[in-house]
Amino acid sequence: MMMLAALLLAGATVPGPEVSPLAEADHVHEWTQAYTDDEGILWVDPTWHASLDVDGIELPLFLMRMEMTPDGMTSPIIADMAMAVDCERDRMGIAGSWTEAPEAETQGAAWFDEVDMNVTEEPLGEDDIAVFRAVCGPNWQP
């Protein structure tokens, strides 16, 4: 029974660095899977807290990690994003990102001076709704 539990935990490991390059070095992540689909898996960390002034409105930031393997690639892309989220106005924007994609020669972390709050499309897709509910609460409605 212990061996089965250990195997299940090993299979549930979130890929990428132990601590996101976007988080504080001593942060301990508690990744929670928000959704999985044909394109990949997305986790959010409800324990990481930050905020950012976007267009005069102080918005919470949340941290998410994605693992995806685009068509034509054999190794997955791992990416962390610090997202500014406006639950009242149904919009999100990327405030910072980190990517590890050796095959695509894309790596590194960056914080953005300006946040484009138009990451989602209208109408919101199931993936967007899952992310909003993970951040804004399970009863959030568009």
Side-chain angles (χ1 to χ4, degrees):
M1 190 66 138
M2 285 283 235
M3 182 63 106
L4 178 60
L7 288 171
L8 288 174
L9 283 174
T13 302
V14 176
E18 186 174 328
V19 177
S20 171
L22 300 175
E24 301 75 23
D26 63 346
H27 181 72
V28 177
H29 294 288
E30 291 184 22
W31 296 113
T32 302
Q33 186 173 320
Y35 69 82
T36 184
D37 61 17
D38 293 341
E39 296 176 13
I41 303 171
L42 182 127
W43 297 270
V44 296
D45 179 0
T47 65
W48 184 78
H49 300 284
S51 63
L52 182 69
D53 183 300
V54 178
D55 300 328
I57 302 170
E58 193 71 18
L59 295 176
L61 297 180
F62 77 94
L63 190 61
M64 65 183 199
R65 176 167 289 173
M66 296 178 290
E67 177 184 36
M68 56 196 148
T69 306
D71 291 337
M73 294 184 76
T74 57
S75 58
I77 293 173
I78 309 297
D80 290 356
M81 288 202 251
M83 302 293 291
V85 66
D86 188 338
C87 297
E88 293 179 22
R89 293 171 188 80
D90 306 345
R91 55 190 199 137
M92 279 189 270
I94 303 170
S97 69
W98 166 85
T99 306
E100 180 180 282
E103 195 172 329
E105 298 179 11
T106 304
Q107 297 194 48
W111 287 93
F112 305 114
D113 293 331
E114 292 189 32
V115 179
D116 179 1
M117 293 298 291
N118 296 317
V119 170
T120 58
E121 295 181 19
E122 292 293 328
L124 293 175
E126 289 179 32
D127 295 350
D128 291 328
I129 291 171
V131 171
F132 272 109
R133 287 186 177 154
V135 175
C136 304
N139 296 324
W140 178 87
Q141 293 293 322

